[in-house]
Amino acid sequence: MATALKNLSDYTSDNFIDISEKRFGLVVAEWNRDITDTLARGAYETLIKHGAKPENIFRNTVPGSFELTLGAQLLAQHEEIDAVICLGVVIQGETKHDDYICHAVASGITNVGLKFNKPVIFGLVTTNTLEQAWDRAGGKHGNKGVEGAVAAIHMLGF
């Protein structure tokens, strides 16, 4: 469903499992840091709200969205990490650079999850404009970080 038709922060927690003993890795891109910090805060607060302990949430930063995949792999390889949430922002520019980044990140995150058989969540905001990115980072369309945390909790209960 298109984000324009849905708020990313709307969800139901009816089938959530107990996550009080689960450990989460957040991999957050530094590029567009104001936005990614907002995404990370949304993910963190959602995990806490649903029972995760602060000491079981580990935030790691990478330079940009392209590096999210290696950051995810470095966290996912640890048995004590139950789920990894990748958060970044790619805004379309004057070249096709964004297409290459988005494709590489989507493929990489998928591969990491399959390799380590654990949830590795795609929390990449991909927009045409800075305004659209803010709309998905706590603006009128909710917060993609909240959506990432919710997806991680759902997948842990799968």
Side-chain angles (χ1 to χ4, degrees), residues 44-116:
Y44 179 87
E45 290 172 357
T46 301
L47 293 171
I48 296 295
K49 174 181 175 180
H50 293 291
K53 296 175 184 168
E55 63 269 20
N56 288 341
I57 303 171
F58 307 94
R59 178 181 169 158
N60 294 276
T61 58
V62 294
S65 292
F66 186 79
E67 291 79 23
L68 288 170
T69 55
L70 180 57
Q73 181 167 293
L74 292 172
L75 282 175
Q77 71 185 356
H78 295 285
E79 287 185 30
E80 65 272 11
I81 297 292
D82 297 294
V84 178
I85 303 166
C86 301
L87 302 167
V89 177
V90 177
I91 301 169
Q92 183 178 358
E94 295 178 6
T95 68
K96 302 288 262 170
H97 182 73
D98 61 304
D99 288 341
Y100 299 111
I101 298 296
C102 293
H103 178 74
V105 174
S107 294
I109 288 172
T110 299
N111 289 335
V112 172
L114 294 172
K115 178 179 180 178
F116 292 101

